Amino acid sequence: MPKVAAKATDMSVDVSVDTSKARRRIRGYIRRTENQVGPLRKSRDFMRMANAANFAAGGLPAGGWAPLDPEYAAWKAAAFPGRGPLVRTGRMLSELTSLRGQAFEVLNPLEAVFRLPDVEYAEFHQYGTTKMPARKIVFEPEGFAQYVAEQVEDHIMAETSMARLRGLFR
């Protein structure tokens, strides 16, 4: 049987690649990119904790709250013993640490908003008045933007992360 030698230029290789798995993954990435409700809700949980910490620390995380006027502070201590700054009934604090109702709303799958609580005096605390200094109650806590970015990335890449995890147990 004769041997046939092929030149390198005469050779061809057919390669067939199944891209269905990659296409399925890309569709998942796109689907999760278009719906960020999960990360938005996790951002709410971060803000709930930040708001609680803000009240516990007298507003330090939000830049610090000015002390109460001495006369008002004496009256408040007698009328509402044990209540910290900006807390009388606890309604505003409760709204900020639960972020239910108006204080947090998912507007659409890609957008949410944090608002002042639905109490008539929240705006006075946030922005101040001619007789009262501003004491921020709605603020962007340190590390918030990074936390949200990580949550969004984890959400988009969820399928890849799960596939890697499943691979560990095969």
Side-chain angles (χ1 to χ4, degrees):
M1 181 178 234
K3 289 189 176 183
V4 177
K7 297 180 193 172
T9 56
D10 294 335
M11 190 169 104
S12 71
V13 177
D14 289 330
V15 177
S16 176
V17 177
D18 181 4
T19 60
S20 60
K21 188 175 179 181
R23 286 194 311 269
R24 210 171 29 254
R25 249 189 211 164
I26 290 168
R27 283 192 301 272
Y29 296 152
I30 292 168
R31 187 176 57 253
R32 287 186 298 278
T33 298
E34 293 171 347
N35 186 342
Q36 297 295 319
V37 172
L40 292 173
R41 288 193 175 133
K42 288 180 181 181
S43 73
R44 176 190 59 204
D45 296 338
F46 185 102
M47 288 297 290
R48 290 174 52 213
M49 291 186 292
N51 288 339
N54 193 39
F55 272 77
L60 286 176
W65 291 338
L68 299 176
D69 171 83
E71 187 179 319
Y72 177 76
W75 172 83
K76 185 178 177 192
F80 300 94
R83 298 289 170 103
L86 278 59
V87 179
R88 270 199 206 176
T89 65
R91 185 172 158 215
M92 184 170 67
L93 174 62
S94 177
E95 285 204 26
L96 285 166
T97 55
S98 71
L99 290 176
R100 300 284 181 234
Q102 173 185 307
F104 173 80
E105 181 184 357
V106 174
L107 301 175
N108 60 58
L110 296 173
E111 186 177 14
V113 63
F114 294 97
R115 295 189 185 101
L116 288 172
D118 189 20
V119 293
E120 58 278 1
Y121 45 85
E123 188 175 321
F124 302 130
H125 289 300
Q126 182 76 13
Y127 304 110
T129 68
T130 57
K131 297 181 180 188
M132 182 178 82
R135 294 178 177 99
K136 281 190 153 198
I137 55 175
V138 175
F139 67 105
E140 181 183 330
E142 187 175 326
F144 180 69
Q146 180 64 35
Y147 176 81
V148 173
E150 290 169 1
Q151 295 307 307
V152 168
E153 181 181 3
D154 289 350
H155 175 71
I156 292 169
M157 302 304 290
E159 183 178 296
T160 303
S161 300
M162 288 306 298
R164 286 187 187 134
L165 185 61
R166 281 192 297 269
L168 293 174
F169 299 99
R170 285 189 177 160

